[in-house]
Amino acid sequence: MKTRETWGTRAGFIMAAAGSAIGLGNIWRFPGEAYEFGGGAFLVPYLIAILTAGIPLLLLEYTIGRRYRSGPPSAFRMLSPRAEGIGWWQNAIAFFLATFYAVIIAWAVCYVFFAVTRSWGEDSAMFFGVDFLAASEDPLTFGEYRPTIMAALIGVWVLVLVIMLGGVRKGVELANRICIPLLVVLFGVIVIRAVTLDGALDGLNAFFTPQWDTITALETGPEIWLAAYGQVFFSLSIGMGTMIAYSSYLKKKAELSTTAVTVAFANSSFELMAGIGVFSILGFMSAQSGTAIGELVGVGGGVAFVTFPAILNEMPGGNFVGVLFFASLVVAGVSSIISMVIVPFSSVEDRFGWSRKKTVAVIGIPMALFSILIYPTTNGSSMVDAVDFAVSGYGLVLGGLATIVLAFATGKIRVLAAEANRTSVLKLGWVWYVCLALTTIMLTLVLILNVKGQIEDLSDPEIANELIYINWGVGGAMILFGLVMTAVMYRRPLPVANSEDGESVDSGSATA
Ligand code: TRP
Protein backbone atom coordinates (compact mmCIF):
# COMPACT_ATOMS: atom_id res chain seq x y z
CA MET A 1 0.00 0.00 0.00
CA LYS A 2 1.24 3.47 -0.85
CA THR A 3 1.94 5.46 2.29
CA ARG A 4 0.21 8.78 2.64
CA GLU A 5 2.31 11.88 2.08
CA THR A 6 2.78 13.91 5.26
CA TRP A 7 3.97 17.39 6.21
CA GLY A 8 7.73 17.65 6.52
CA THR A 9 7.85 19.31 9.91
CA ARG A 10 5.59 20.61 12.65
CA ALA A 11 6.50 24.16 11.68
CA GLY A 12 5.59 23.31 8.12
CA PHE A 13 2.06 22.37 9.11
CA ILE A 14 1.67 25.42 11.34
CA MET A 15 2.81 27.66 8.51
CA ALA A 16 0.45 26.01 6.07
CA ALA A 17 -2.47 26.28 8.48
CA ALA A 18 -1.61 29.90 9.27
CA GLY A 19 -1.07 30.55 5.57
CA SER A 20 -4.54 29.25 4.91
CA ALA A 21 -6.06 31.37 7.65
CA ILE A 22 -4.20 34.58 6.89
CA GLY A 23 -5.53 35.79 3.59
CA LEU A 24 -7.71 38.29 1.83
CA GLY A 25 -10.12 37.70 4.69
CA ASN A 26 -7.73 39.48 7.03
CA ILE A 27 -6.61 42.30 4.82
CA TRP A 28 -9.48 42.86 2.41
CA ARG A 29 -12.54 41.55 4.23
CA PHE A 30 -12.05 42.15 7.95
CA PRO A 31 -11.46 45.91 7.93
CA GLY A 32 -14.43 46.29 5.59
CA GLU A 33 -16.71 44.26 7.84
CA ALA A 34 -15.48 46.04 10.93
CA TYR A 35 -16.09 49.35 9.22
CA GLU A 36 -19.54 48.43 8.00
CA PHE A 37 -20.63 47.33 11.46
CA GLY A 38 -19.28 50.37 13.21
CA GLY A 39 -15.78 49.31 14.25
CA GLY A 40 -16.05 48.78 17.95
CA ALA A 41 -19.45 47.14 17.64
CA PHE A 42 -17.92 44.36 15.63
CA LEU A 43 -14.94 43.54 17.78
CA VAL A 44 -16.81 42.07 20.75
CA PRO A 45 -18.89 39.49 18.85
CA TYR A 46 -15.79 38.76 16.80
CA LEU A 47 -13.68 37.92 19.86
CA ILE A 48 -16.47 35.88 21.42
CA ALA A 49 -16.89 33.96 18.18
CA ILE A 50 -13.17 33.16 18.00
CA LEU A 51 -12.94 31.83 21.52
CA THR A 52 -16.19 29.89 21.70
CA ALA A 53 -16.59 28.76 18.10
CA GLY A 54 -13.41 29.34 16.12
CA ILE A 55 -10.82 27.54 18.20
CA PRO A 56 -13.13 24.66 19.25
CA LEU A 57 -14.13 24.02 15.65
CA LEU A 58 -10.56 24.31 14.43
CA LEU A 59 -9.70 21.56 16.92
CA LEU A 60 -12.63 19.45 15.78
CA GLU A 61 -11.56 19.64 12.14
CA TYR A 62 -7.92 18.90 12.99
CA THR A 63 -8.96 15.88 14.99
CA ILE A 64 -11.28 14.51 12.32
CA GLY A 65 -8.57 14.98 9.70
CA ARG A 66 -5.79 13.37 11.67
CA ARG A 67 -7.95 10.45 12.80
CA TYR A 68 -9.44 9.47 9.45
CA ARG A 69 -6.58 10.69 7.30
CA SER A 70 -8.61 11.59 4.28
CA GLY A 71 -10.43 14.43 2.56
CA PRO A 72 -13.86 15.50 3.86
CA PRO A 73 -16.19 13.03 2.06
CA SER A 74 -14.30 9.92 3.15
CA ALA A 75 -13.70 11.35 6.61
CA PHE A 76 -17.38 12.09 7.11
CA ARG A 77 -18.29 8.68 5.78
CA MET A 78 -16.15 7.12 8.44
CA LEU A 79 -18.02 9.17 11.02
CA SER A 80 -21.30 7.95 9.59
CA PRO A 81 -22.04 6.22 6.26
CA ARG A 82 -24.92 8.58 5.57
CA ALA A 83 -22.86 11.71 6.15
CA GLU A 84 -20.55 11.50 3.16
CA GLY A 85 -22.61 14.14 1.37
CA ILE A 86 -21.59 16.80 3.88
CA GLY A 87 -18.08 16.44 2.56
CA TRP A 88 -19.22 16.79 -1.05
CA TRP A 89 -21.33 19.77 -0.15
CA GLN A 90 -18.17 21.34 1.29
CA ASN A 91 -16.53 20.63 -2.05
CA ALA A 92 -19.17 22.73 -3.73
CA ILE A 93 -18.57 25.55 -1.25
CA ALA A 94 -14.84 25.29 -1.90
CA PHE A 95 -15.45 25.42 -5.63
CA PHE A 96 -17.40 28.68 -5.43
CA LEU A 97 -15.07 30.20 -2.87
CA ALA A 98 -11.86 29.43 -4.74
CA THR A 99 -13.21 30.54 -8.09
CA PHE A 100 -14.15 34.02 -6.89
CA TYR A 101 -11.25 34.37 -4.45
CA ALA A 102 -8.84 34.01 -7.38
CA VAL A 103 -10.37 37.08 -8.99
CA ILE A 104 -9.65 39.29 -6.02
CA ILE A 105 -6.05 38.08 -6.07
CA ALA A 106 -6.01 38.99 -9.77
CA TRP A 107 -7.25 42.51 -8.96
CA ALA A 108 -4.43 42.82 -6.44
CA VAL A 109 -1.90 41.65 -9.05
CA CYS A 110 -3.04 44.46 -11.35
CA TYR A 111 -2.86 46.95 -8.51
CA VAL A 112 0.76 46.06 -7.76
CA PHE A 113 1.54 47.49 -11.20
CA PHE A 114 -0.82 50.44 -10.86
CA ALA A 115 0.83 51.38 -7.56
CA VAL A 116 4.19 51.96 -9.22
CA THR A 117 2.87 55.08 -10.95
CA ARG A 118 -0.28 55.47 -8.86
CA SER A 119 -2.19 55.22 -12.10
CA TRP A 120 -5.55 55.43 -10.31
CA GLY A 121 -5.11 59.20 -10.37
CA GLU A 122 -7.11 61.63 -8.23
CA ASP A 123 -10.36 59.73 -7.96
CA SER A 124 -9.59 56.18 -6.89
CA ALA A 125 -13.26 55.20 -6.52
CA MET A 126 -13.98 56.22 -10.08
CA PHE A 127 -10.88 54.43 -11.28
CA PHE A 128 -11.77 51.17 -9.53
CA GLY A 129 -15.44 51.13 -10.48
CA VAL A 130 -15.41 52.69 -13.93
CA ASP A 131 -11.95 52.42 -15.47
CA PHE A 132 -10.78 49.16 -13.96
CA LEU A 133 -13.83 46.96 -13.39
CA ALA A 134 -16.17 48.88 -15.70
CA ALA A 135 -18.75 47.52 -13.24
CA SER A 136 -22.28 47.17 -14.51
CA GLU A 137 -25.25 47.52 -12.20
CA ASP A 138 -26.98 44.29 -13.00
CA PRO A 139 -25.11 41.27 -11.63
CA LEU A 140 -27.02 38.76 -13.75
CA THR A 141 -26.55 40.27 -17.17
CA PHE A 142 -23.34 38.99 -18.63
CA GLY A 143 -21.22 41.97 -19.57
CA GLU A 144 -17.96 42.21 -21.44
CA TYR A 145 -14.61 40.69 -20.61
CA ARG A 146 -11.91 42.80 -18.99
CA PRO A 147 -8.69 41.61 -20.65
CA THR A 148 -6.26 42.95 -18.03
CA ILE A 149 -8.08 41.23 -15.20
CA MET A 150 -8.39 38.07 -17.24
CA ALA A 151 -4.66 37.96 -17.98
CA ALA A 152 -3.83 38.37 -14.30
CA LEU A 153 -6.39 35.72 -13.41
CA ILE A 154 -4.87 33.21 -15.81
CA GLY A 155 -1.50 33.86 -14.17
CA VAL A 156 -2.96 33.24 -10.72
CA TRP A 157 -4.47 29.89 -11.74
CA VAL A 158 -1.30 28.71 -13.45
CA LEU A 159 0.65 29.41 -10.27
CA VAL A 160 -1.96 27.68 -8.08
CA LEU A 161 -2.04 24.55 -10.23
CA VAL A 162 1.76 24.38 -10.39
CA ILE A 163 1.91 24.53 -6.58
CA MET A 164 -0.75 21.82 -6.35
CA LEU A 165 1.18 19.60 -8.74
CA GLY A 166 4.08 19.69 -6.29
CA GLY A 167 2.07 17.81 -3.67
CA VAL A 168 2.11 18.35 0.08
CA ARG A 169 5.78 18.93 0.87
CA LYS A 170 7.22 20.24 -2.37
CA GLY A 171 4.11 22.22 -3.25
CA VAL A 172 1.91 23.47 -0.44
CA GLU A 173 4.45 23.40 2.37
CA LEU A 174 7.18 25.03 0.32
CA ALA A 175 4.86 27.78 -0.94
CA ASN A 176 3.84 28.61 2.61
CA ARG A 177 7.40 28.63 3.86
CA ILE A 178 8.04 31.38 1.35
CA CYS A 179 4.75 33.26 1.65
CA ILE A 180 4.41 33.61 5.43
CA PRO A 181 7.77 35.22 6.30
CA LEU A 182 7.46 37.45 3.25
CA LEU A 183 4.04 38.54 4.35
CA VAL A 184 5.14 39.39 7.88
CA VAL A 185 7.84 41.68 6.53
CA LEU A 186 5.71 43.34 3.85
CA PHE A 187 2.82 43.95 6.15
CA GLY A 188 4.92 45.02 9.12
CA VAL A 189 6.32 47.94 7.14
CA ILE A 190 2.86 49.12 6.15
CA VAL A 191 1.36 49.03 9.61
CA ILE A 192 4.27 50.95 11.08
CA ARG A 193 3.83 53.58 8.40
CA ALA A 194 0.07 53.76 9.04
CA VAL A 195 0.11 54.29 12.80
CA THR A 196 2.60 57.13 12.49
CA LEU A 197 0.25 59.19 10.30
CA ASP A 198 -1.50 62.29 11.63
CA GLY A 199 -4.96 61.52 12.93
CA ALA A 200 -4.24 57.81 13.33
CA LEU A 201 -5.40 57.91 16.93
CA ASP A 202 -8.95 58.97 16.05
CA GLY A 203 -9.21 56.04 13.71
CA LEU A 204 -7.99 53.67 16.39
CA ASN A 205 -10.56 55.02 18.82
CA ALA A 206 -13.34 54.29 16.38
CA PHE A 207 -11.97 50.78 15.98
CA PHE A 208 -11.59 49.94 19.64
CA THR A 209 -14.64 51.54 21.26
CA PRO A 210 -17.36 48.90 21.81
CA GLN A 211 -20.95 49.87 21.10
CA TRP A 212 -23.00 47.57 23.29
CA ASP A 213 -26.44 48.79 22.25
CA THR A 214 -25.84 47.97 18.56
CA ILE A 215 -24.73 44.44 19.40
CA THR A 216 -27.73 43.62 21.59
CA ALA A 217 -30.51 45.40 19.67
CA LEU A 218 -32.83 43.02 17.85
CA GLU A 219 -32.83 45.03 14.61
CA THR A 220 -29.07 45.28 14.25
CA GLY A 221 -27.84 42.46 16.48
CA PRO A 222 -28.49 39.28 14.45
CA GLU A 223 -26.85 40.69 11.36
CA ILE A 224 -23.73 41.73 13.27
CA TRP A 225 -23.48 38.37 15.02
CA LEU A 226 -23.83 36.44 11.78
CA ALA A 227 -21.26 38.72 10.19
CA ALA A 228 -18.89 38.14 13.10
CA TYR A 229 -19.31 34.35 13.03
CA GLY A 230 -19.06 34.43 9.24
CA GLN A 231 -15.87 36.44 9.44
CA VAL A 232 -14.33 34.12 12.02
CA PHE A 233 -15.20 31.00 10.02
CA PHE A 234 -13.88 32.60 6.86
CA SER A 235 -10.79 33.89 8.52
CA LEU A 236 -9.84 30.69 10.29
CA SER A 237 -10.72 28.64 7.20
CA ILE A 238 -13.22 26.47 9.04
CA GLY A 239 -16.58 25.03 8.06
CA MET A 240 -15.49 23.88 4.62
CA GLY A 241 -13.31 20.88 5.38
CA THR A 242 -10.09 22.72 4.57
CA MET A 243 -8.62 21.92 7.94
CA ILE A 244 -9.82 18.32 7.70
CA ALA A 245 -7.93 18.05 4.43
CA TYR A 246 -4.78 19.74 5.74
CA SER A 247 -4.63 17.72 8.93
CA SER A 248 -5.23 14.50 7.03
CA TYR A 249 -1.58 14.83 6.03
CA LEU A 250 -0.41 15.03 9.65
CA LYS A 251 1.56 12.29 11.26
CA LYS A 252 -0.47 10.31 13.78
CA LYS A 253 1.61 11.66 16.63
CA ALA A 254 1.27 15.33 15.72
CA GLU A 255 0.22 17.68 18.51
CA LEU A 256 -3.06 19.53 17.90
CA SER A 257 -4.11 21.79 20.75
CA THR A 258 -1.23 24.24 20.93
CA THR A 259 -1.14 24.20 17.15
CA ALA A 260 -4.75 25.39 17.00
CA VAL A 261 -4.12 28.12 19.53
CA THR A 262 -0.97 29.25 17.72
CA VAL A 263 -2.75 29.40 14.37
CA ALA A 264 -5.75 31.26 15.79
CA PHE A 265 -3.47 33.70 17.56
CA ALA A 266 -1.35 34.34 14.48
CA ASN A 267 -4.45 34.85 12.40
CA SER A 268 -6.10 37.29 14.79
CA SER A 269 -2.89 39.21 15.28
CA PHE A 270 -2.75 39.70 11.57
CA GLU A 271 -6.36 40.68 11.41
CA LEU A 272 -6.06 43.19 14.24
CA MET A 273 -2.92 44.54 12.63
CA ALA A 274 -4.79 45.01 9.39
CA GLY A 275 -7.62 46.66 11.33
CA ILE A 276 -5.19 48.94 13.12
CA GLY A 277 -3.49 49.80 9.84
CA VAL A 278 -6.70 50.54 7.99
CA PHE A 279 -8.40 52.47 10.79
CA SER A 280 -5.27 54.57 11.37
CA ILE A 281 -5.40 55.42 7.72
CA LEU A 282 -9.11 56.22 7.94
CA GLY A 283 -8.31 58.51 10.84
CA PHE A 284 -5.67 60.21 8.75
CA MET A 285 -8.10 60.58 5.88
CA SER A 286 -10.81 61.99 8.07
CA ALA A 287 -8.35 64.50 9.54
CA GLN A 288 -7.32 65.57 6.04
CA SER A 289 -10.81 65.88 4.64
CA GLY A 290 -12.71 66.90 7.75
CA THR A 291 -15.26 64.11 7.21
CA ALA A 292 -16.29 61.92 10.15
CA ILE A 293 -14.80 58.42 10.07
CA GLY A 294 -18.18 56.73 9.75
CA GLU A 295 -19.02 58.79 6.69
CA LEU A 296 -16.02 58.36 4.49
CA VAL A 297 -17.33 57.32 1.12
CA GLY A 298 -16.16 54.42 -0.93
CA VAL A 299 -15.26 52.31 2.02
CA GLY A 300 -16.97 49.00 2.90
CA GLY A 301 -15.78 46.28 0.55
CA GLY A 302 -13.65 48.81 -1.28
CA VAL A 303 -11.26 49.52 1.58
CA ALA A 304 -8.37 47.83 -0.16
CA PHE A 305 -8.95 49.01 -3.71
CA VAL A 306 -10.57 52.40 -3.19
CA THR A 307 -9.73 53.90 0.16
CA PHE A 308 -6.21 52.68 0.26
CA PRO A 309 -5.15 54.12 -3.10
CA ALA A 310 -6.74 57.44 -2.14
CA ILE A 311 -4.53 57.59 0.89
CA LEU A 312 -1.45 56.52 -0.97
CA ASN A 313 -1.89 59.68 -3.00
CA GLU A 314 -1.53 61.79 0.13
CA MET A 315 1.28 59.81 1.61
CA PRO A 316 4.97 60.51 1.09
CA GLY A 317 6.43 57.35 -0.41
CA GLY A 318 2.95 56.19 -1.38
CA ASN A 319 4.12 54.29 -4.46
CA PHE A 320 6.41 52.11 -2.43
CA VAL A 321 3.89 51.44 0.32
CA GLY A 322 1.31 50.68 -2.36
CA VAL A 323 3.46 48.09 -4.08
CA LEU A 324 4.12 46.46 -0.70
CA PHE A 325 0.45 46.48 0.22
CA PHE A 326 -0.86 44.93 -2.96
CA ALA A 327 2.00 42.46 -3.08
CA SER A 328 1.09 41.37 0.43
CA LEU A 329 -2.50 40.86 -0.69
CA VAL A 330 -1.27 38.62 -3.49
CA VAL A 331 1.04 36.61 -1.25
CA ALA A 332 -1.59 36.19 1.47
CA GLY A 333 -4.17 35.25 -1.13
CA VAL A 334 -2.07 32.60 -2.85
CA SER A 335 -1.26 30.79 0.39
CA SER A 336 -5.00 30.73 1.15
CA ILE A 337 -6.41 29.70 -2.19
CA ILE A 338 -4.30 26.56 -2.28
CA SER A 339 -6.03 25.52 0.94
CA MET A 340 -9.40 25.86 -0.78
CA VAL A 341 -8.35 23.90 -3.83
CA ILE A 342 -7.02 21.15 -1.57
CA VAL A 343 -10.61 20.35 -0.50
CA PRO A 344 -11.79 18.89 -3.82
CA PHE A 345 -8.29 17.61 -4.56
CA SER A 346 -7.98 15.57 -1.39
CA SER A 347 -11.62 14.50 -1.71
CA VAL A 348 -11.33 12.84 -5.09
CA GLU A 349 -7.85 11.49 -4.47
CA ASP A 350 -8.94 9.78 -1.27
CA ARG A 351 -12.33 8.63 -2.50
CA PHE A 352 -11.43 7.52 -6.02
CA GLY A 353 -7.71 6.92 -5.67
CA TRP A 354 -6.78 9.46 -8.35
CA SER A 355 -3.20 10.61 -8.87
CA ARG A 356 -2.36 14.27 -8.40
CA LYS A 357 -1.80 14.71 -12.14
CA LYS A 358 -5.22 13.33 -12.97
CA THR A 359 -6.83 15.54 -10.34
CA VAL A 360 -5.19 18.65 -11.76
CA ALA A 361 -6.44 17.73 -15.22
CA VAL A 362 -9.97 16.69 -14.31
CA ILE A 363 -10.75 19.02 -11.40
CA GLY A 364 -8.12 21.77 -11.35
CA ILE A 365 -8.25 22.92 -14.95
CA PRO A 366 -12.08 23.01 -15.28
CA MET A 367 -12.22 24.92 -12.01
CA ALA A 368 -9.73 27.45 -13.32
CA LEU A 369 -11.68 27.76 -16.57
CA PHE A 370 -14.94 28.41 -14.74
CA SER A 371 -13.25 31.17 -12.76
CA ILE A 372 -11.60 32.66 -15.84
CA LEU A 373 -14.77 32.60 -17.93
CA ILE A 374 -17.24 33.93 -15.36
CA TYR A 375 -15.56 36.59 -13.25
CA PRO A 376 -13.24 38.89 -15.21
CA THR A 377 -16.30 40.59 -16.65
CA THR A 378 -18.10 43.86 -16.13
CA ASN A 379 -20.69 42.11 -13.96
CA GLY A 380 -17.96 40.12 -12.19
CA SER A 381 -17.64 42.28 -9.10
CA SER A 382 -21.34 42.12 -8.26
CA MET A 383 -21.18 38.36 -8.75
CA VAL A 384 -18.28 38.28 -6.32
CA ASP A 385 -20.37 40.08 -3.71
CA ALA A 386 -23.37 37.83 -4.15
CA VAL A 387 -21.37 34.61 -4.12
CA ASP A 388 -19.23 35.79 -1.21
CA PHE A 389 -22.39 36.24 0.79
CA ALA A 390 -23.69 32.78 -0.12
CA VAL A 391 -20.37 31.22 0.80
CA SER A 392 -19.35 33.11 3.91
CA GLY A 393 -22.73 34.35 5.07
CA TYR A 394 -24.34 30.93 5.00
CA GLY A 395 -22.19 28.16 3.52
CA LEU A 396 -19.32 28.09 5.96
CA VAL A 397 -21.48 28.67 9.00
CA LEU A 398 -23.85 25.85 8.00
CA GLY A 399 -20.91 23.62 7.11
CA GLY A 400 -19.40 24.16 10.55
CA LEU A 401 -22.76 23.56 12.17
CA ALA A 402 -23.17 20.27 10.29
CA THR A 403 -19.72 19.12 11.41
CA ILE A 404 -20.53 19.76 15.07
CA VAL A 405 -24.00 18.21 14.90
CA LEU A 406 -22.58 15.13 13.24
CA ALA A 407 -19.85 14.68 15.83
CA PHE A 408 -22.46 14.77 18.61
CA ALA A 409 -25.22 12.85 16.82
CA THR A 410 -22.97 9.91 15.98
CA GLY A 411 -21.73 9.86 19.55
CA LYS A 412 -18.18 10.13 18.20
CA ILE A 413 -17.41 13.34 20.03
CA ARG A 414 -15.86 11.41 22.94
CA VAL A 415 -13.86 9.22 20.61
CA LEU A 416 -12.58 12.38 18.95
CA ALA A 417 -11.73 14.05 22.24
CA ALA A 418 -9.79 10.94 23.26
CA GLU A 419 -8.07 10.93 19.88
CA ALA A 420 -6.97 14.54 20.28
CA ASN A 421 -5.97 14.02 23.89
CA ARG A 422 -3.68 11.17 22.92
CA THR A 423 -1.11 13.79 21.91
CA SER A 424 -2.52 17.11 23.12
CA VAL A 425 -0.96 19.39 25.65
CA LEU A 426 -4.30 21.03 26.50
CA LYS A 427 -6.83 18.32 27.21
CA LEU A 428 -10.19 18.50 25.50
CA GLY A 429 -13.10 17.87 27.82
CA TRP A 430 -16.34 19.43 28.96
CA VAL A 431 -15.29 23.01 28.14
CA TRP A 432 -14.88 21.92 24.54
CA TYR A 433 -18.26 20.15 24.48
CA VAL A 434 -19.99 23.17 26.02
CA CYS A 435 -18.40 25.57 23.52
CA LEU A 436 -19.41 23.39 20.59
CA ALA A 437 -22.96 22.98 21.93
CA LEU A 438 -23.24 26.72 22.53
CA THR A 439 -22.02 27.39 19.02
CA THR A 440 -24.76 25.15 17.66
CA ILE A 441 -27.46 27.07 19.48
CA MET A 442 -26.02 30.44 18.61
CA LEU A 443 -25.60 29.63 14.93
CA THR A 444 -29.08 28.18 14.58
CA LEU A 445 -30.60 31.29 16.10
CA VAL A 446 -28.54 33.70 14.07
CA LEU A 447 -29.26 31.84 10.84
CA ILE A 448 -33.02 31.83 11.39
CA LEU A 449 -33.06 35.55 12.16
CA ASN A 450 -31.04 36.30 9.05
CA VAL A 451 -33.19 34.31 6.68
CA LYS A 452 -36.16 36.13 8.19
CA GLY A 453 -34.41 39.43 7.54
CA GLN A 454 -33.72 38.48 3.93
CA ILE A 455 -37.34 37.52 3.34
CA GLU A 456 -38.34 40.94 4.60
CA ASP A 457 -35.73 42.53 2.33
CA LEU A 458 -37.40 40.95 -0.68
CA SER A 459 -40.23 43.45 -0.41
CA ASP A 460 -37.86 46.38 0.12
CA PRO A 461 -37.54 48.30 -3.15
CA GLU A 462 -34.13 49.64 -2.10
CA ILE A 463 -32.53 46.20 -2.13
CA ALA A 464 -31.85 44.33 -5.36
CA ASN A 465 -33.72 41.05 -5.28
CA GLU A 466 -31.31 39.49 -7.74
CA LEU A 467 -28.63 39.43 -5.09
CA ILE A 468 -30.88 37.53 -2.70
CA TYR A 469 -31.83 35.12 -5.49
CA ILE A 470 -28.21 34.48 -6.46
CA ASN A 471 -27.51 33.98 -2.80
CA TRP A 472 -30.22 31.33 -2.41
CA GLY A 473 -29.60 29.82 -5.84
CA VAL A 474 -25.92 29.24 -5.14
CA GLY A 475 -26.67 28.02 -1.61
CA GLY A 476 -29.34 25.64 -2.87
CA ALA A 477 -27.15 24.32 -5.69
CA MET A 478 -24.39 23.49 -3.23
CA ILE A 479 -26.70 21.59 -0.91
CA LEU A 480 -28.27 19.78 -3.85
CA PHE A 481 -24.85 18.65 -4.99
CA GLY A 482 -24.20 17.22 -1.53
CA LEU A 483 -27.49 15.31 -1.58
CA VAL A 484 -26.95 13.91 -5.06
CA MET A 485 -23.46 12.74 -4.15
CA THR A 486 -24.79 11.06 -1.02
CA ALA A 487 -27.17 9.04 -3.14
CA VAL A 488 -24.59 8.24 -5.81
CA MET A 489 -21.83 7.22 -3.44
CA TYR A 490 -23.87 5.44 -0.80
CA ARG A 491 -23.34 1.92 -2.15
CA ARG A 492 -19.71 2.42 -3.10
CA PRO A 493 -17.43 1.29 -0.30
CA LEU A 494 -14.39 3.33 0.58
CA PRO A 495 -11.14 2.29 -1.10
CA VAL A 496 -9.20 -0.23 0.97
CA ALA A 497 -6.31 2.12 1.62
CA ASN A 498 -8.64 4.37 3.49
CA SER A 499 -10.95 1.98 5.20
CA GLU A 500 -8.01 0.16 6.69
CA ASP A 501 -6.72 2.94 8.80
CA GLY A 502 -9.99 4.72 9.36
CA GLU A 503 -13.16 2.77 8.94
CA SER A 504 -12.08 -0.21 10.95
CA VAL A 505 -10.98 2.06 13.79
CA ASP A 506 -14.51 3.15 14.58
CA SER A 507 -17.09 0.87 13.10
CA GLY A 508 -16.60 -0.97 9.86
CA SER A 509 -20.32 -0.66 9.19
CA ALA A 510 -19.78 1.87 6.44
CA THR A 511 -18.71 -0.72 3.92
CA ALA A 512 -22.15 -1.66 2.70
N1 TRP B 1 -8.95 32.15 5.60
C1 TRP B 1 -8.71 32.69 4.32
C2 TRP B 1 -8.78 34.21 4.40
O1 TRP B 1 -8.88 34.75 5.46
C3 TRP B 1 -9.66 32.19 3.30
C4 TRP B 1 -9.77 30.71 3.29
C5 TRP B 1 -8.81 29.83 2.95
C6 TRP B 1 -10.87 29.97 3.65
N2 TRP B 1 -9.29 28.56 3.09
C7 TRP B 1 -10.54 28.61 3.51
C8 TRP B 1 -12.10 30.33 4.09
C9 TRP B 1 -11.45 27.63 3.82
C10 TRP B 1 -12.99 29.33 4.41
C11 TRP B 1 -12.67 28.01 4.29
O2 TRP B 1 -8.72 34.86 3.40
Side-chain angles (χ1 to χ4, degrees):
M1 200 193 345
K2 213 172 80 199
T3 51
R4 189 177 187 75
E5 206 187 352
T6 55
W7 301 100
T9 59
R10 177 175 149 84
F13 174 71
I14 293 182
M15 272 202 229
S20 165
I22 301 167
L24 302 175
N26 303 55
I27 309 175
W28 165 77
R29 205 168 179 283
F30 175 81
E33 296 281 303
Y35 182 82
E36 189 179 338
F37 296 106
F42 192 69
L43 227 46
V44 174
Y46 164 82
L47 288 174
I48 293 178
I50 292 194
L51 292 175
T52 61
I55 296 179
L57 200 60
L58 201 55
L59 279 165
L60 181 61
E61 290 201 13
Y62 283 174
T63 311
I64 293 176
R66 192 189 65 179
R67 178 173 185 81
Y68 301 112
R69 310 196 92 186
S70 42
S74 315
F76 281 114
R77 188 182 178 111
M78 290 182 235
L79 272 169
S80 157
R82 276 191 220 98
E84 183 176 339
I86 298 177
W88 291 113
W89 168 44
Q90 290 180 323
N91 272 272
I93 305 177
F95 177 88
F96 282 106
L97 179 53
T99 44
F100 87 72
Y101 200 86
V103 188
I104 304 167
I105 304 178
W107 294 348
V109 171
C110 298
Y111 267 71
V112 172
F113 294 99
F114 298 158
V116 176
T117 57
R118 286 186 272 204
S119 45
W120 46 74
E122 284 297 300
D123 190 344
S124 60
M126 176 86 148
F127 178 83
F128 182 61
V130 179
D131 300 323
F132 180 61
L133 298 175
S136 57
E137 283 287 300
D138 183 0
L140 286 177
T141 312
F142 186 81
E144 278 164 41
Y145 282 115
R146 305 293 296 155
T148 321
I149 304 178
M150 189 186 249
L153 187 56
I154 293 173
V156 169
W157 277 108
V158 169
L159 177 65
V160 169
L161 294 181
V162 166
I163 294 174
M164 295 311 290
L165 263 182
V168 176
R169 285 192 198 186
K170 294 213 186 76
V172 177
E173 187 168 343
L174 180 65
N176 278 292
R177 277 179 179 279
I178 299 170
C179 284
I180 292 297
L182 191 60
L183 191 60
V184 171
V185 175
L186 288 176
F187 213 66
V189 176
I190 297 169
V191 174
I192 292 170
R193 180 70 191 93
V195 293
T196 51
L197 289 167
D198 289 336
L201 214 59
D202 296 331
L204 294 180
N205 274 331
F207 186 43
F208 285 114
T209 313
Q211 298 156 9
W212 300 103
D213 40 343
T214 334
I215 313 171
T216 49
L218 208 58
E219 302 88 68
T220 46
E223 210 192 337
I224 298 188
W225 282 91
L226 182 65
Y229 274 86
Q231 174 61 27
V232 165
F233 278 44
F234 189 91
S235 186
L236 284 175
S237 309
I238 47 184
M240 201 177 79
T242 280
M243 286 302 145
I244 296 180
Y246 263 14
S247 47
S248 75
Y249 303 108
L250 280 170
K251 297 194 175 92
K252 280 276 178 196
K253 60 179 196 302
E255 206 282 336
L256 301 176
S257 63
T258 53
T259 305
V261 175
T262 310
V263 169
F265 184 76
N267 182 57
S268 286
S269 313
F270 231 91
E271 206 143 55
L272 291 175
M273 248 176 38
I276 289 172
V278 167
F279 275 81
S280 306
I281 291 176
L282 292 175
F284 166 76
M285 207 167 151
S286 129
Q288 299 278 305
S289 63
T291 323
I293 290 178
E295 270 133 42
L296 292 169
V297 281
V299 198
V303 165
F305 296 100
V306 175
T307 317
F308 212 79
I311 289 136
L312 295 173
N313 287 342
E314 313 290 320
M315 203 188 271
N319 313 40
F320 177 65
V321 176
V323 172
L324 289 186
F325 175 76
F326 291 109
S328 60
L329 268 182
V330 175
V331 172
V334 168
S335 63
S336 294
I337 194 173
I338 50 187
S339 78
M340 300 168 191
V341 176
I342 198 105
V343 173
F345 274 49
S346 65
S347 296
V348 298
E349 285 166 11
D350 291 328
R351 192 68 174 93
F352 307 127
W354 290 7
S355 69
R356 180 52 58 99
K357 280 206 186 87
K358 179 168 178 190
T359 310
V360 169
V362 180
I363 307 285
I365 292 177
M367 204 165 159
L369 285 178
F370 176 88
S371 174
I372 293 165
L373 291 176
I374 297 290
Y375 288 107
T377 53
T378 46
N379 61 325
S381 63
S382 2
M383 286 286 290
V384 166
D385 280 346
V387 177
D388 179 21
F389 189 56
V391 167
S392 22
Y394 288 105
L396 298 176
V397 171
L398 273 170
L401 193 60
T403 312
I404 301 176
V405 170
L406 190 69
F408 278 99
T410 54
K412 296 277 171 65
I413 189 78
R414 281 170 184 278
V415 179
L416 293 170
E419 161 81 20
N421 289 342
R422 192 165 56 72
T423 62
S424 282
V425 175
L426 311 167
K427 299 292 176 213
L428 301 186
W430 65 271
V431 177
W432 192 50
Y433 304 147
V434 170
C435 281
L436 291 173
L438 251 172
T439 303
T440 320
I441 298 169
M442 185 69 192
L443 292 183
T444 312
L445 248 167
V446 166
L447 283 167
I448 293 174
L449 289 171
N450 270 278
V451 173
K452 198 168 142 267
Q454 271 193 325
I455 294 176
E456 285 160 11
D457 282 350
L458 277 180
S459 48
D460 183 340
E462 299 273 297
I463 296 169
N465 285 355
E466 282 95 335
L467 291 182
I468 299 177
Y469 294 142
I470 296 183
N471 189 216
W472 291 349
V474 171
M478 297 190 300
I479 292 178
L480 190 69
F481 179 71
L483 290 174
V484 169
M485 287 304 282
T486 310
V488 173
M489 300 306 290
Y490 191 64
R491 298 204 169 280
R492 289 180 61 159
L494 288 173
V496 184
N498 264 333
S499 37
E500 273 196 2
D501 66 356
E503 209 145 24
S504 57
V505 179
D506 283 351
S507 59
S509 61
T511 27

